[in-house]
């Protein structure tokens, strides 16, 4: 076939009059082809608004904008919008700024504070606003309903309203009623598409994790799934070395599925809502289980790493999220777990198992403090370096950070604290008005201390030359409260190693 085409081309091009005619036909053919590709792309390109530019919102907006869609990033907070306009996120997340600035420069990402500018044009809207917890532990849905009000007022017919924020099961049904009540004429579909991305691996997870899409409208489900198909295509050419240093963290070596369809879970609205909360609850439960077993290891002389390797090798259990340490924190687990407990109470269900998980987690700071005291005696006037203040590595987020709780507990007992975190120093500056010495680096933080406690397992602490620490420290205790260092290495450089459940 191709050789016949070659012969025909040679004959045609040997005659000059035929050549210009053929060139004209080829030119026309190519132009028409390009126009049709452009038309198909334009037809598939959607105008989208993402409401809320937190970790979930700005990451979702940015990857969709890089995947061929026109995306408004809407937030009522002018300072956040100003930062995004300058091509940056308002928090640290490796690789995200690069994607934001690319999308801003191409014009596909449009940060705005205006519902009027963004919503009327949008075919799909993602609600990614915060759901902080109230005093009683129940989730505060005020921002969710405020966003829904703006959507009801300004949307055009046919809009797909997609909920990404973590909401209690049944919220979608209430929101549908609320929007219908605010704007009875509006024709819309409602989809629950909960988010599973981890801070510190936000971009990686958006490209690789599962997608749960739940609705009673199958057409709307497929539209949302197709948006992710575009993200999946964009991810094929993406250089993952530019994003998370921590993507494989706690995974126990389990590989994620790469094929698109196997990542999609289509379900109904209420199941999608409950999947999100239950997923976080189960992960928190796994960690608390590991920590509870670690306490038992310390009493019995067993080693928690070996125990978790042994049980994690059972494919029914799995090794992921069975890493013992100071406990869980952050913007999701604490509020999602307490939200689940209180919402279940409204339905007369007692989530006993989750209450126990919360209790174990709350004990872990005290457990570490007690163990520290057993090693170096009374903590009054002892100088302790607490390394790491963010709730986990890879992020500047200090919400519900166990490390911050540890610092406060040590101060209560009269210890003098120096501290360093590779990203969260600006965040803690306002938090600690109680005399914590905020150091400029690791050397500075450990200089002259009686003991070092690693409270967040940053790469910088794992890769630090602990051999040089002995010369700087006054004491010799290295308390690895995240079980992230090799005990043998620490002992070999002349320091005393203590971990959580590691014997
Ligand atoms: C979590 C969920 O993982 C994510 O799917 C969801 O969308 C949001 O909530 P994130 O809060 O970013 O993500 O942090 P994650 O990586 O899950 O860690 C949570 C906490 O558990 C951290 O404090 C971490 O240090 C701790 N942890 C995690 C452990 O102590 N041990 C483990 O084995 C795993």
């Amino acid at each position: 076939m191709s050789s016949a085409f070659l012969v025909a081309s040679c004959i045609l091009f040997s005659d000059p009059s035929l050549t210009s005619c053929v060139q004209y036909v080829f030119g026309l053919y190519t132009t028409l082809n390009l126009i049709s590709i452009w038309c198909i792309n334009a037809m598939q390109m959607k105008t989208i608004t993402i409401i809320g530019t937190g970790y979930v919102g700005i990451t979702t907006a940015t990857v969709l904008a890089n995947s061929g869609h026109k995306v408004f990033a809407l937030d009522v907070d002018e300072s956040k919008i100003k930062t995004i306009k300058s091509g940056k996120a308002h928090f640290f997340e490796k690789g995200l700024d690069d994607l934001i600035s690319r999308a801003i420069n191409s014009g596909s990402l449009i940060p705005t504070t205006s519902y009027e500018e963004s919503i009327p044009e949008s075919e799909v809207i993602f609600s990614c606003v915060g759901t902080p917890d109230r005093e009683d532990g129940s989730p505060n849905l005020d921002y969710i309903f405020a966003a829904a009000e703006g959507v009801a007022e300004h949307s055009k017919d046919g809009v797909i309203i997609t909920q990404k924020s973590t909401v209690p099961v049944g919220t979608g049904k209430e929101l549908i009623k609320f929007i219908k009540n605010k704007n009875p004429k509006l024709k819309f579909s409602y989809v629950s598409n909960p988010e599973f991305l981890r801070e510190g691996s936000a971009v990686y997870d958006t490209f690789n994790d599962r997608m749960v899409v739940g609705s009673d409208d199958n057409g709307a489900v497929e539209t949302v799934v197709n948006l992710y198909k575009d993200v999946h295509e964009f991810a094929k050419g993406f250089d993952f070395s530019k994003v998370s240093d921590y993507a494989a963290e706690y995974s126990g070596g389990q590989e994620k599925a790469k094929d698109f369809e196997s990542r999609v879970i289509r379900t109904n609205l209420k199941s999608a809502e409950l999947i999100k909360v239950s997923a976080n609850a189960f992960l928190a439960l796994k960690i608390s289980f590991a920590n509870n077993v670690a306490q038992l290891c310390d009493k019995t002389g067993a080693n928690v790493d070996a125990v978790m390797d042994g049980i994690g090798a059972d494919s029914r259990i799995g090794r992921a999220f069975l890493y013992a340490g100071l406990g869980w924190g952050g913007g999701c687990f604490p509020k999602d777990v307490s939200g689940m407990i209180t919402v279940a109470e409204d339905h007369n269900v007692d989530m006993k198992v989750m209450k126990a998980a919360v209790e174990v987690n709350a004990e872990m700071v005290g457990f570490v403090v007690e163990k520290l005291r057993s090693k170096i005696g009374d903590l009054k006037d002892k100088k302790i370096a607490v390394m790491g203040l963010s709730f986990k590595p890879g992020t500047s987020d200090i919400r519900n950070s166990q490390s911050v709780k540890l610092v406060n507990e040590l101060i209560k007992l009269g210890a003098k604290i120096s501290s360093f975190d590779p990203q969260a120093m600006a965040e803690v500056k306002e938090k600690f008005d109680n005399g914590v010495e905020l150091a400029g680096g690791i050397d500075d933080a450990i200089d002259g201390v009686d003991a070092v406690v690693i409270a967040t397992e940053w790469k910088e602490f794992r890769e630090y030359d602990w051999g040089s620490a002995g010369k700087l420290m006054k004491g010799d205790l290295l308390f690895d409260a995240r079980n992230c260092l090799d005990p043998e290495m620490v002992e070999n450089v002349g320091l005393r190693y203590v971990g959580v459940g590691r014997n």
Side-chain angles (χ1 to χ4, degrees):
M1 178 74 176
S2 57
S3 53
F5 179 76
L6 199 68
V7 172
S9 306
C10 288
I11 297 166
L12 284 170
F13 281 94
S14 60
D15 179 337
S17 62
L18 276 174
T19 306
S20 60
C21 171
V22 168
Q23 274 173 343
Y24 172 75
V25 172
F26 269 153
L28 190 66
Y29 173 77
T30 313
T31 313
L32 285 174
N33 235 349
L34 285 173
I35 290 173
S36 71
I37 289 170
W38 183 84
C39 284
I40 289 167
N41 280 341
M43 270 162 59
Q44 287 172 345
M45 188 196 87
K46 294 258 182 274
T47 301
I48 300 165
T49 292
I50 311 281
I51 311 175
T53 60
Y55 288 90
V56 171
I58 192 59
T59 308
T60 309
T62 304
V63 296
L64 284 167
N66 276 284
S67 308
H69 300 283
K70 177 178 174 182
V71 183
F72 290 99
L74 170 63
D75 203 300
V76 289
D77 185 332
E78 276 179 25
S79 74
K80 286 181 183 164
I81 290 302
K82 205 169 147 208
T83 311
I84 298 165
K85 274 186 179 156
S86 76
K88 288 193 301 234
H90 48 90
F91 50 84
F92 170 72
E93 180 69 45
K94 192 177 172 194
L96 186 57
D97 288 356
D98 193 30
L99 286 171
I100 293 176
S101 66
R102 252 203 262 174
I104 293 281
N105 291 340
S106 74
S108 58
L109 181 64
I110 308 151
T112 178
T113 53
S114 161
Y115 275 77
E116 289 85 346
E117 184 195 352
S118 52
I119 302 289
E121 230 193 281
S122 296
E123 296 150 278
V124 185
I125 295 166
F126 287 89
S127 169
C128 304
V129 296
T131 52
D133 47 354
R134 296 184 195 275
E135 290 267 296
D136 66 353
S138 66
N140 178 347
L141 301 180
D142 289 355
Y143 300 128
I144 297 274
F145 280 90
E149 191 163 354
V151 168
E153 191 181 338
H154 298 288
S155 284
K156 64 176 176 182
D157 276 346
V159 67
I160 299 175
I161 302 166
T162 309
Q163 190 61 254
K164 257 198 174 308
S165 304
T166 306
V167 291
V169 55
T171 307
K173 217 174 149 205
E174 274 177 45
L175 278 166
I176 293 171
K177 235 193 276 166
F178 176 84
I179 295 167
K180 279 185 180 161
N181 193 29
K182 291 275 164 201
N183 185 353
K185 288 193 187 130
L186 181 69
K187 292 189 176 63
F188 69 96
S189 309
Y190 184 91
V191 173
S192 166
N193 171 221
E195 183 53 58
F196 299 101
L197 64 80
R198 295 161 299 171
E199 290 176 30
S201 311
V203 179
Y204 179 91
D205 287 348
T206 308
F207 288 148
N208 290 287
D209 210 340
R210 66 204 185 280
M211 288 147 287
V212 171
V213 192
S215 177
D216 304 327
D217 177 338
N218 292 340
V221 166
E222 291 318 311
T223 303
V224 173
V225 168
N226 282 333
L227 291 180
Y228 286 113
K229 214 173 258 172
D230 298 332
V231 173
H232 183 78
E233 286 307 312
F234 172 69
K236 280 183 185 165
F238 189 74
D239 176 4
F240 282 97
S241 67
K242 286 188 181 158
V243 289
S244 178
D245 293 325
Y246 299 95
E249 205 78 340
Y250 311 125
S251 73
Q254 287 165 0
E255 273 297 305
K256 291 187 175 170
K258 289 285 181 280
D259 141 67
F260 181 75
E261 269 306 318
S262 68
R263 292 172 53 208
V264 181
I265 297 160
R266 296 171 175 86
T267 182
N268 64 33
L269 183 50
K270 287 189 178 170
S271 305
E273 289 174 337
L274 198 52
I275 286 170
K276 164 69 197 205
V277 180
S278 310
N280 274 358
F282 190 71
L283 292 171
L285 188 63
K286 279 189 98 174
I287 303 166
S288 281
F289 175 79
N291 283 335
N292 217 173
V293 174
Q295 294 173 358
L296 185 58
C297 287
D298 271 356
K299 292 281 183 215
T300 58
N303 187 313
V304 73
D305 298 342
V307 176
M308 293 304 144
D309 283 347
I311 68 168
D314 183 333
S315 60
R316 292 169 302 174
I317 298 172
R319 183 64 173 94
F321 273 62
L322 285 177
Y323 294 85
L326 196 52
W328 39 272
C332 290
F333 284 1
K335 96 176 157 56
D336 290 356
V337 172
S338 65
M340 189 184 204
I341 292 169
T342 52
V343 170
E345 266 160 19
D346 294 343
H347 295 277
N348 292 320
V349 176
D350 186 0
M351 297 296 296
K352 297 185 193 77
V353 75
M354 293 319 303
K355 286 180 183 168
V358 171
E359 206 179 316
V360 171
N361 199 51
E363 278 170 15
M364 291 317 291
V365 168
F367 175 83
V368 165
V369 169
E370 246 345 279
K371 199 164 172 184
L372 181 62
R373 197 167 19 197
S374 74
K375 301 290 172 189
I376 60 168
D378 189 2
L379 297 175
K380 187 155 172 29
D381 292 329
K382 290 268 166 39
K383 200 164 175 217
I384 318 278
V386 175
M387 308 306 291
L389 292 163
S390 56
F391 83 95
K392 66 176 209 174
T395 178
S396 52
D397 194 350
I398 55 163
R399 284 176 294 170
N400 275 304
S401 162
Q402 294 286 89
S403 326
V404 171
K405 287 181 192 157
L406 175 69
V407 169
N408 287 330
E409 201 51 40
L410 291 171
I411 285 173
K412 251 195 246 162
L413 295 169
K416 304 258 178 296
I417 306 297
S418 60
S419 189
F420 172 70
D421 186 286
Q423 291 295 338
M425 296 312 264
E427 277 73 5
V428 287
K429 244 181 207 140
E430 293 155 24
K431 190 120 190 151
F432 293 135
D433 50 2
N434 45 9
V436 176
E437 185 191 318
L438 294 176
I442 303 177
D443 288 354
D444 191 18
I446 68 175
D447 196 9
V449 299
D450 295 288
V452 171
V453 181
I454 297 186
T456 310
E457 63 279 33
W458 281 96
K459 194 163 71 96
E460 284 81 346
F461 307 148
R462 291 180 195 172
E463 291 169 358
Y464 181 70
D465 171 18
W466 289 102
S468 66
K471 289 176 222 123
L472 292 167
M473 291 168 63
K474 193 168 108 202
D476 65 351
L477 188 81
L478 178 47
F479 195 144
D480 179 8
R482 288 291 179 182
N483 289 357
C484 64
L485 297 179
D486 175 5
E488 210 175 291
M489 175 280 289
V490 175
E491 300 280 349
N492 285 344
V493 299
L495 297 173
R496 251 190 317 153
Y497 180 89
V498 176
V500 176
R502 278 180 148 182
N503 299 287

